[in-house]
Amino acid sequence: MLNHGVLTFLAPVLLLSAGVHADGLYTKKSAVLQVDGKSYDKLVAKSNQVSSLKPAYEKAAKGLDGLAQVAAVNCDDESNKAFCGSMGVQGFPTLKIVKPSKKPGKPVVEDYNGGRTAKDIVDAVKQAIPNNVKRISDKGLGAFLDANNDTAKAILFSDKGTTGALIKVVATDYIGRINFAQIRNKETVAVDMFGITTYPTLVVLPGGTEAPILFDGSFSKTAMKDFLDQYASSTKSESAQKPRREQKPIIAEDEPSPTPAEAKETAASASAFSAFSSASSSHASDEATVAPGGATTETVEDASQPTESPDPNVVPEDIPKPAQMPDVAPPIPALIERMFLEKRCLGPKTTTCILALLPGATDEEQSSLPEEVNTALASLAKIAEKHAERDGKLFPFFSVPAKNEAQGVLRDALKLDKTFELIAVNARRGWYRRYEGADGYGKIAVENWVDAIRLGEGAKATLPESLIVEEKQADEHDEL
């Protein structure tokens, strides 16, 4: 059973509602499910619709096949009115996205206020799918491989900077049974270790001493689940009783057999890698348990014997060592006045801007920002610094303090509350996008969001025309 989707109230897990008779609107062959208050509990999805929305809604249902359930509810039906009321349906059509929460049976229901095209709906639902795929770099590979070896691991090697909807859905289905990770093609150590040459490539590490297995099927949910079911922890006892289908170990078929010396060297390297982390972690405790003085087996030089002259380049221990300065990226610029915000980000010819809308209006409140705000600003600063060092072309990041009166106008127009908000705006193309913050404000989570915007992925909302400053007005500001 899928854990995400859309509902339409026909009176849309996409859930649709509309004040028309929906029973005959979607046929049995339609990709849109018809549900009532009782059968809704078996779904997790979202949407709303009348007959004019039907073509786009059915197209969205086909586009989300295997990723989310798309359903419709007839709110004119007397037996569904209580259910529709509990879902907060007040008009038709109404679209809602339902996604899983940490409490089983109590999903999170969100209003969908985006565009009504099939692409808009599909993008919004994909964006709402929980991400249980860990992003791994060369630096963190060892820790991931060493942890939880009693549970299988699946690694997707990809040439994309974002996590796709399909792998997110599959990872959610195997929570607690298989740990999922994604490694980008630029992580050369990991790529070379597993011999990856094409992307995407899915590799399963069954756990224990079993060799990694390469998935050679099609990247569809059915094929992937059929493969992964053989290694999921809850099915291990069952699969141990019946032989697994023959899978490809990660070994090149055309390589010549290694010589005895080469085989010995390869085995030694593999052993060294698997033991590296445990050896490193126990190193400190081993040193701490060594007995002092002559309890060791080493021969200690007699202190009465003459020694060489002191090395003039050695710094005596009693000389204080210079303080180590933390590696802090330069902060992102702040737009403290209205005219700067309008000129840089809200003009008819301006491009994409990332805006951090800071809470608090007084100087005292601004000087003691919440931890999540400081984390977000530090993440943005590191991302901006990384692209600057690479001479990469990236849209600008700005912080906007609450004392900038344009921030209030922006919040009111976009219906944002007074808490911290991270948004992207493009006045020239007339769209904006909020950072939902479900994954926190760490560098990886924020960078994934920024990368998705750079690549044109994810749903965008329409920027109110009232926020776009006339060019003439912008010129007047330039003269000030």
Side-chain angles (χ1 to χ4, degrees):
M1 181 173 67
L2 295 176
N3 294 323
H4 4 265
V6 187
L7 280 175
T8 304
F9 292 92
L10 287 176
V13 165
L14 193 54
L15 184 61
L16 169 69
S17 61
V20 298
H21 294 291
D23 298 338
L25 189 59
Y26 297 98
T27 66
K28 293 182 178 180
K29 294 182 179 180
S30 173
V32 177
L33 303 175
Q34 293 195 57
V35 300
D36 54 24
K38 296 180 180 179
S39 59
Y40 162 74
D41 291 335
K42 299 179 181 179
L43 299 173
V44 182
K46 158 182 177 175
S47 175
N48 287 5
Q49 173 171 2
V50 289
S51 57
S52 62
L53 182 58
K54 178 183 177 183
Y57 201 56
E58 289 196 316
K59 186 176 180 180
K62 294 178 181 178
L64 291 168
D65 183 35
L67 301 178
Q69 296 278 18
V70 178
V73 179
N74 181 3
C75 286
D76 268 349
D77 191 314
E78 192 66 33
S79 63
N80 291 332
K81 287 185 177 181
F83 169 66
C84 293
S86 70
M87 297 294 288
V89 177
Q90 298 179 346
F92 311 107
T94 296
L95 289 161
K96 291 182 179 289
I97 294 179
V98 184
K99 57 185 182 180
S101 69
K102 294 182 179 180
K103 298 181 179 179
K106 295 184 178 180
V108 176
V109 181
E110 299 177 349
D111 291 331
Y112 174 71
N113 299 312
R116 298 303 175 95
T117 67
K119 184 180 185 303
D120 290 331
I121 295 173
V122 169
D123 287 345
V125 175
K126 287 182 177 180
Q127 186 66 25
I129 298 172
N131 189 358
N132 294 294
V133 181
K134 188 174 184 179
R135 301 293 294 273
I136 300 294
S137 64
D138 286 340
K139 185 177 180 181
L141 178 61
F144 176 76
L145 295 177
D146 288 339
N148 302 319
N149 279 327
D150 55 338
T151 302
K153 301 180 178 70
I155 304 177
L156 178 69
F157 288 86
S158 173
D159 55 0
K160 299 185 181 299
T162 57
T163 304
L166 176 59
I167 192 67
K168 288 196 291 186
V169 167
V170 173
T172 300
D173 287 348
Y174 286 93
I175 287 179
R177 298 188 292 157
I178 297 180
N179 295 321
F180 280 75
Q182 180 169 326
I183 299 179
R184 200 168 180 181
N185 58 337
K186 65 180 181 179
E187 305 297 339
T188 55
V189 173
V191 168
D192 291 344
M193 178 183 295
F194 288 92
I196 306 302
T197 57
T198 59
Y199 304 93
T201 293
L202 180 65
V203 174
V204 165
L205 286 70
T209 59
E210 295 188 57
I213 303 296
L214 179 69
F215 171 62
D216 60 355
S218 63
F219 277 87
S220 66
K221 186 177 180 182
T222 301
M224 293 172 71
K225 284 179 64 65
D226 186 38
F227 170 73
L228 294 168
D229 278 346
Q230 302 173 82
Y231 307 100
S233 59
S234 64
T235 61
K236 277 186 177 180
S237 58
E238 178 183 345
S239 59
Q241 299 173 8
K242 57 183 181 181
R244 292 174 180 165
R245 291 176 303 161
E246 185 176 353
Q247 305 290 348
K248 291 184 178 180
I250 307 180
I251 299 176
E253 296 180 355
D254 56 350
E255 287 186 359
S257 300
T259 63
E262 291 173 334
K264 183 177 181 180
E265 181 180 357
T266 301
S269 299
S271 175
F273 174 79
S274 62
F276 175 79
S277 295
S278 57
S280 299
S281 61
S282 62
H283 178 68
S285 59
D286 288 344
E287 288 186 330
T289 57
V290 173
T296 66
T297 59
E298 294 182 11
T299 302
V300 181
E301 184 178 18
D302 187 349
S304 64
Q305 298 298 321
T307 59
E308 298 180 3
S309 300
D311 188 340
N313 295 319
V314 174
V315 179
E317 294 183 358
D318 57 346
I319 300 297
K321 296 181 180 180
Q324 297 293 321
M325 298 301 292
D327 183 16
V328 179
I332 62 174
L335 301 176
I336 58 176
E337 293 188 20
R338 179 171 187 160
M339 63 178 182
F340 297 134
L341 176 58
E342 292 176 345
K343 178 180 178 181
R344 295 300 303 269
C345 303
L346 297 178
K349 296 183 180 180
T350 55
T351 56
T352 303
C353 289
I354 302 293
L355 301 177
L357 306 183
L358 306 182
T362 66
D363 291 338
E364 183 178 351
E365 290 173 324
Q366 289 290 309
S367 63
S368 57
L369 294 171
E371 182 180 353
E372 68 171 12
V373 179
N374 290 322
T375 300
L377 294 176
S379 297
L380 291 171
K382 292 177 181 177
I383 297 169
E385 182 184 46
K386 184 179 80 170
H387 282 269
E389 290 175 348
R390 297 177 178 179
D391 293 325
K393 293 183 180 180
L394 185 65
F395 29 76
F397 300 168
F398 299 110
S399 64
V400 184
K403 63 183 179 181
N404 184 334
E405 60 182 10
Q407 191 205 105
V409 175
L410 195 61
R411 286 183 182 272
D412 291 342
L414 303 183
K415 298 180 180 180
L416 306 176
D417 57 29
K418 301 300 182 182
T419 59
F420 175 69
E421 291 282 353
L422 186 59
I423 63 173
V425 298
N426 188 313
R428 181 163 63 92
R429 298 189 180 276
W431 59 261
Y432 78 95
R433 180 175 173 182
R434 288 180 65 197
Y435 178 77
E436 299 298 337
D439 298 327
Y441 292 95
K443 178 178 176 293
I444 294 177
V446 175
E447 189 168 23
N448 288 342
W449 179 70
V450 171
D451 285 344
I453 295 172
R454 286 197 307 116
L455 298 171
E457 299 177 350
K460 302 179 180 68
T462 301
L463 186 71
E465 292 185 3
S466 61
L467 291 175
I468 303 176
V469 181
E470 296 291 339
E471 196 165 18
K472 181 178 179 181
Q473 185 177 350
D475 291 337
E476 292 174 355
H477 289 165
D478 289 341
E479 296 171 1
L480 296 177

